[in-house]
Amino acid sequence: MVELRASRKIIGQLLSVFLVVIIGDMRIRDLQGFLGIHEIPILVSYGFSAFVLLALTNAFNLIDGLDGIAATIGSITLAILGGWFYFQGIESLAVLSLTLLGGVLAFMIYNWHPAKIFMGDTGSLTLGFSIGSLIIAFMEYNSALPKGALLKLEPTFSAGIVLMIYPLFDMARVFTRRISQGRHPMTADKGHVHHFLMRMGLKHDQVALLLGFLQITLIFTVFILGDYSDNLVLPILTVIVLFLGYLLEKMTLKFVRRKVRRSPKIMETSSINSGQRIKIKLGKQSVESGSMNLN
């Protein structure tokens, strides 16, 4: 009901992060040997966990630009988290994940293209914060499991990242582009991945399904590599995502250039339009002269 500035939204997010990370003590404690780092000092753990949660929250907010995208990505992540928590016997987080999933699926009935209702910042920030909190909880519980346990993933950090890989990649990509162009990173533009896919001729629902399929593929890739460490899995995941991003840029540029070549030039269009106007005028004059002769 009231439009808030970005600074006030951040204050509200920091308060929520404080409640989860500090009061709830839900934080990333151990990187499981990634880059040689194991247990993190408590102050660094608080700061790093707060940064991760803020990044996940705002990254999810940024992808809410077309009908059904945020709901599709959120549904996939919540379904996997809910199933994982259920199999591990963590009933409270399983119920929370699956309850959110039910709400998002019901919402998607009206948010699918052509959408009748939209998330807006209120919905996407709330959902992104909830999913981000569940991912941090997943990383904490997963790292505490004994080796060889059911659905124990050795690359804990990579598993947490891949659950929100599209929002994180899209945020990193647009922020890098804006900063390199001398603009504020929070400036709105049409440089998101879903905008590039739309320029290639895809519709809202096709973009949502394609991005959802890629999200599922990358998640299962990490699950398949679940016996290896982050030192191997995270570089592989990074290379795959960067290659897909590079491929998207090239394909979009090629499609746009082809579309421009096939489109009529501005002068041709104006001459065609002027020729049509002349024909219409001549037609009107002949009709008028014909009626005069009849009279």
Side-chain angles (χ1 to χ4, degrees):
M1 296 177 67
V2 179
E3 186 69 24
L4 297 178
R5 295 195 299 270
S7 58
R8 294 188 179 181
K9 291 178 184 178
I10 288 293
I11 292 173
Q13 292 174 30
L14 287 172
L15 176 60
S16 302
V17 168
F18 175 80
L19 292 173
V20 170
V21 176
I22 307 298
I23 303 300
D25 199 33
M26 188 182 294
R27 55 191 173 87
I28 302 170
R29 292 174 165 81
D30 196 322
L31 292 186
Q32 303 294 308
F34 177 59
L35 298 178
I37 302 172
H38 288 275
E39 188 174 353
I40 309 174
I42 186 167
L43 292 179
V44 177
S45 174
Y46 282 137
F48 180 64
S49 301
F51 171 77
V52 169
L53 187 50
L54 282 173
L56 293 174
T57 301
N58 289 282
F60 194 83
N61 178 45
L62 289 173
I63 67 168
D64 185 31
L66 294 181
D67 298 346
I69 289 184
T72 299
I73 300 299
S75 297
I76 293 168
T77 304
L78 288 169
I80 292 172
L81 285 170
W84 191 89
F85 285 131
Y86 175 79
F87 282 112
Q88 298 301 337
I90 310 169
E91 295 180 357
S92 59
L93 295 180
V95 169
L96 178 58
S97 301
L98 297 176
T99 301
L100 285 170
L101 173 62
V104 173
L105 291 176
F107 167 80
M108 203 180 341
I109 295 173
Y110 304 97
N111 184 240
W112 197 252
H113 184 71
K116 298 180 179 66
I117 56 176
F118 309 94
M119 278 194 190
D121 286 351
T122 304
S124 59
L125 287 173
T126 303
L127 189 58
F129 178 81
S130 302
I131 294 174
S133 302
L134 289 167
I135 288 175
I136 291 178
F138 157 76
M139 294 172 68
E140 183 179 359
Y141 282 106
N142 180 72
S143 61
L145 289 174
K147 196 174 184 66
L150 177 66
L151 294 179
K152 158 76 173 180
L153 297 172
E154 292 298 329
T156 302
F157 197 56
S158 303
I161 290 174
V162 79
L163 288 170
M164 285 273 268
I165 188 64
Y166 167 58
L168 289 172
F169 169 73
D170 187 61
M171 181 178 70
R173 180 178 169 278
V174 296
F175 278 16
T176 302
R177 286 171 62 91
R178 292 168 187 173
I179 292 171
S180 64
Q181 294 170 359
R183 295 184 294 145
H184 194 279
M186 297 303 292
T187 305
D189 60 16
K190 298 288 186 182
H192 293 276
V193 171
H194 48 263
H195 291 134
F196 273 66
L197 292 172
M198 289 284 287
R199 291 190 190 104
M200 292 177 62
L202 298 181
K203 299 177 181 178
H204 287 238
D205 50 353
Q206 294 173 329
V207 172
L209 291 173
L210 175 60
L211 292 175
F213 171 76
L214 291 175
Q215 178 93 354
I216 292 173
T217 303
L218 291 171
I219 289 172
F220 278 101
T221 300
V222 171
F223 271 73
I224 291 170
L225 299 172
D227 293 332
Y228 300 93
S229 69
D230 281 307
N231 292 317
L232 175 65
V233 177
L234 191 56
I236 292 175
L237 180 65
T238 303
V239 169
I240 292 174
V241 171
L242 290 178
F243 174 73
L244 289 174
Y246 170 80
L247 200 62
L248 172 68
E249 296 266 0
K250 288 295 183 182
M251 290 177 64
T252 305
L253 187 60
K254 184 178 179 180
F255 179 85
V256 171
R257 284 176 176 172
R258 188 190 309 138
K259 186 177 180 180
V260 169
R261 284 197 300 267
R262 291 177 178 177
S263 301
K265 302 297 185 290
I266 296 175
M267 293 300 295
E268 293 177 0
T269 305
S270 61
S271 62
I272 291 172
N273 291 336
S274 61
Q276 290 176 344
R277 287 195 295 269
I278 291 171
K279 288 180 180 179
I280 291 171
K281 288 180 180 179
L282 290 174
K284 286 182 178 179
Q285 289 175 359
S286 61
V287 169
E288 289 175 357
S289 61
S291 61
M292 289 175 62
N293 292 333
L294 288 172
N295 291 333

